[in-house]
Amino acid sequence: MISLSLGRLKPGMVLAEPVHNFQGMLLLDAGATLTGKHIRILKSWGVTKISVEGANKRKKSGDSESGSEARLAVEKKLKKKFSEVMNDPVMMEIMRVAANVLEARSLMREDADGEKTR
C-alpha cells in the first residue's frame, strides 16, 4: 500500500483504504477499482491523496521471470475466457485491464507469501 497524490493515479488502481471527503462522507470504499470518472470526482471533492494497493511493487533482481510467468499465466486464462470476443476492441481493452489487475494481485500474493516465510 502506498499513498499517492491524485495526479499520479491511473484507472485500474485498487483502493487500499476507504476515501472520505472533508466532511467524513464515504466517497469510495476500500477495494474499489479506480476509473477516470472516479479520479475526476475525487478531485472535485478536494481529495488530495489516497492509498492504493500494489503501487509500491518494485521488481527485485530475479523477479522479472516470476513477473513474466505470472503475466503469461494470466493472459492464457483470459484468452480462453475471451476467445469468442477477440475481434471486439472494447472487450480486448477489458481483457487488457483485467490482465493488469490479475497480474498485480498474483505478484502481491507471491510477495505476501515470501514475507510470511522469511
Side-chain angles (χ1 to χ4, degrees):
M1 172 177 69
I2 190 167
S3 182
L4 294 175
S5 65
L6 261 59
R8 296 184 61 201
L9 295 178
K10 303 226 181 309
M13 290 182 165
V14 178
L15 292 179
E17 297 176 342
V19 179
H20 297 86
N21 68 5
F22 65 95
Q23 298 169 327
M25 184 175 88
L26 179 67
L27 299 176
L28 285 172
D29 207 355
T33 301
L34 290 175
T35 65
K37 184 176 180 179
H38 288 141
I39 296 168
R40 287 189 303 277
I41 290 170
L42 292 173
K43 286 179 183 177
S44 72
W45 276 101
V47 175
T48 57
K49 286 189 174 192
I50 64 169
S51 295
V52 294
E53 294 179 359
N56 60 348
K57 295 290 174 201
R58 292 201 176 119
K59 290 185 179 178
K60 303 168 192 147
S61 60
D63 277 357
S64 60
E65 255 185 66
S66 139
S68 62
E69 288 173 12
R71 181 65 180 208
L72 290 174
V74 165
E75 286 178 354
K76 184 177 178 182
K77 287 179 185 177
L78 288 175
K79 282 182 182 177
K80 187 174 180 180
K81 289 195 182 278
F82 283 79
S83 64
E84 295 181 20
V85 292
M86 295 292 268
N87 293 332
D88 185 342
V90 172
M91 294 306 290
M92 292 306 297
E93 180 63 13
I94 291 170
M95 186 176 94
R96 185 190 66 77
V97 171
N100 290 341
V101 170
L102 293 172
E103 179 186 20
R105 286 181 184 169
S106 172
L107 292 174
M108 286 173 45
R109 256 186 254 116
E110 286 176 14
D111 191 43
D113 290 343
E115 287 176 6
K116 290 176 187 172
T117 58
R118 287 181 194 157

